[in-house]
């Protein structure tokens, strides 16, 4: 079966490409600025999702059986600064992709975010009412609605603060590891709670959902934790000096875009139907540590 993965060079997308390729699928991996390394069973296609016509051409040329849409402008502050770009990539490209996929009756999985919620409650369930507080979250919510209204065979996977190695822009966990491994201090928020999700385990959970033909909204994310405690947990697992992690509060940072205070996700539904343990922090950090050792050439 042919699987089209958009955003194949992103932090989640690259691991999803690897996961499906290892499982024997023929993967078409879309990327734009950062080329994907050669992987067996993977065809790389460079398409700029700012050009909607190119998105349409991609679907018509590939004719995928499955589409996994991870491509987005994920920089929250960038979305607030350049709303036109965020709308074009996060909304218009998703509309073109969904509409043309619907003509093929293919399965469509859309990767969404905890930032569709306002962060006033935390541990959000799938049926809680979204209320984004920044433009990034707004575009992702609009895209969710587009997918739901355009396709019958679709799922929306909301996740939270994806981290890990592989490809993609620097994520928080990677920044923590890089700083602490060099004996440098790093600041982390004590008053923002999230559900950090390891890209490797997210990819496995996504494949499970696709193979069970799951339809609907589902939350796949890690344990609820503050950024500060998350950074400290990384330090402990990697045997770094925990004292290098400095606590700060949200008022100490001048964000361009407002952040939810507690956007953590309730993952009860996913944990009841999936075999992959994407949730347990200890398991996730054990895998992250092993992957880091591999990058260092230690194992």
């Amino acid at each position: 079966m042919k699987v089209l993965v958009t955003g194949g060079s992103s932090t989640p997308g690259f691991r999803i490409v690897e996961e499906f390729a290892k499982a024997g699928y023929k993967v078409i991996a879309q990327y734009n600025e950062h080329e994907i390394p050669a992987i067996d069973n993977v065809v790389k296609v460079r398409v700029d999702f700012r050009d909607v016509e190119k998105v349409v051409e991609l679907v018509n040329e590939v004719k995928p059986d499955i589409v996994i849409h991870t491509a987005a402008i994920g920089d929250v502050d960038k979305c607030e600064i350049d709303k036109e770009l965020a709308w074009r990539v996060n909304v218009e490209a998703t509309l073109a992709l969904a509409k043309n996929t619907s003509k093929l009756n293919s399965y469509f999985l859309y990767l969404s975010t905890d930032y569709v919620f306002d962060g006033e409650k935390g541990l959000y369930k799938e049926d809680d009412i979204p209320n984004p507080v920044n433009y990034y979250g707004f575009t992702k919510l609009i895209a969710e609605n587009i997918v739901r209204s355009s396709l019958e065979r679709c799922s929306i996977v909301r996740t939270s603060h994806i981290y890990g190695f592989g490809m993609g822009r620097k994520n928080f966990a990677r920044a923590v590891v890089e700083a602490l491994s060099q004996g440098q201090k790093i600041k982390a928020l004590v008053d923002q709670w999230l559900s950090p999700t390891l890209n490797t385990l997210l990819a496995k959970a996504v494949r499970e959902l696709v193979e069970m033909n799951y339809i609907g909204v589902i939350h796949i994310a890690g344990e609820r934790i503050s950024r500060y405690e998350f950074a400290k947990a990384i330090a402990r697992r990697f045997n770094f000096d925990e004292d290098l992690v400095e606590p700060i509060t949200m008022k100490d940072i001048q964000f361009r875009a407002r952040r939810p205070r507690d956007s953590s996700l309730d993952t009860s539904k996913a944990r009841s139907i999936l075999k992959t343990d994407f949730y347990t922090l200890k398991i996730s950090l054990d895998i992250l540590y092993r992957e880091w050792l591999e990058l260092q050439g230690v194992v």
Side-chain angles (χ1 to χ4, degrees), residues 21-274:
K22 283 187 292 185
Y25 291 83
K26 180 179 180 181
V27 180
I28 298 87
Q30 176 270 337
Y31 71 97
N32 184 25
E33 295 179 359
H34 305 289
E35 186 169 357
I36 303 161
I39 304 172
D40 290 343
N41 294 332
V42 176
V43 176
K44 300 177 288 183
V45 182
R46 184 173 185 177
V47 178
D48 188 341
F49 267 33
R50 291 173 296 184
D51 188 337
V52 173
E53 290 303 314
K54 294 294 184 183
V55 177
V56 175
E57 289 175 13
L58 175 65
V59 177
N60 293 338
E61 182 179 328
V62 172
K63 292 182 170 57
D65 301 295
I66 299 160
V67 175
I68 302 172
H69 184 27
T70 79
I73 303 296
D75 185 320
V76 180
D77 289 327
K78 186 174 183 177
C79 287
E80 209 71 25
I81 294 165
D82 194 341
K83 292 182 177 178
E84 182 181 348
L85 174 65
W87 184 265
R88 193 180 312 141
V89 175
N90 294 0
V91 177
E92 290 181 357
T94 300
L95 176 60
L97 196 64
K99 274 192 159 185
N100 286 274
T101 300
S102 69
K103 298 173 185 177
L104 304 173
N105 194 35
S106 302
Y107 181 84
F108 194 103
L109 184 146
Y110 178 63
L111 194 68
S112 191
T113 173
D114 55 335
Y115 272 29
V116 300
F117 297 111
D118 59 21
E120 295 302 311
K121 180 173 82 76
L123 290 176
Y124 289 95
K125 295 185 177 182
E126 286 82 356
D127 56 0
D128 282 328
I129 298 172
N131 183 35
V133 297
N134 53 51
Y135 198 72
Y136 166 69
F138 174 70
T139 61
K140 295 293 281 185
L141 178 58
I142 295 295
E144 281 190 12
N145 293 332
I146 286 170
V147 170
R148 266 195 291 246
S149 61
S150 302
L151 298 126
E152 291 184 6
R153 298 180 59 222
C154 67
S155 60
I156 292 165
V157 175
R158 294 192 187 122
T159 189
S160 173
H161 294 74
I162 302 166
Y163 68 94
F165 299 112
M167 295 192 72
R169 57 195 176 89
K170 185 181 290 189
N171 50 77
F172 180 68
R174 216 165 90 192
V176 170
V177 171
E178 289 177 6
L180 300 187
S181 66
Q182 297 171 29
Q184 299 172 356
K185 293 182 178 181
I186 192 159
K187 296 177 180 179
L189 293 165
V190 297
D191 56 351
Q192 187 190 28
W193 289 267
L194 42 124
S195 302
T197 312
L198 181 64
N199 58 352
T200 302
L201 294 175
L202 174 63
K204 292 182 182 299
V206 163
R207 183 161 74 88
E208 275 198 76
L209 286 176
V210 169
E211 291 179 346
M212 68 171 60
N213 197 35
Y214 182 84
I215 305 296
V217 180
I218 194 163
H219 291 174
I220 296 179
E223 297 181 34
R224 178 184 182 272
I225 194 170
S226 72
R227 278 189 182 271
Y228 176 72
E229 289 301 333
F230 182 46
K232 297 268 280 187
I234 293 171
R236 286 192 297 272
R237 181 59 190 89
F238 281 64
N239 300 312
F240 297 144
D241 184 358
E242 285 185 60
D243 292 336
L244 292 173
V245 181
E246 296 186 340
I248 57 171
T249 64
M250 292 182 77
K251 67 181 181 182
D252 295 325
I253 303 178
Q254 296 299 314
F255 292 116
R256 187 63 181 262
R258 183 181 163 194
R259 263 64 167 180
R261 182 185 61 83
D262 185 348
S263 59
S264 57
L265 298 175
D266 183 309
T267 59
S268 302
K269 180 191 288 187
R271 282 185 282 152
S272 71
I273 65 173
L274 298 180

Side-chain angles (χ1 to χ4, degrees), residues 165 238 288-299:
F165 299 112
F238 281 64
L288 187 72
Y289 181 61
R290 186 169 66 246
E291 291 175 346
W292 182 69
L293 291 179
E294 289 171 358
L295 288 172
Q296 309 305 307
V298 176
V299 294

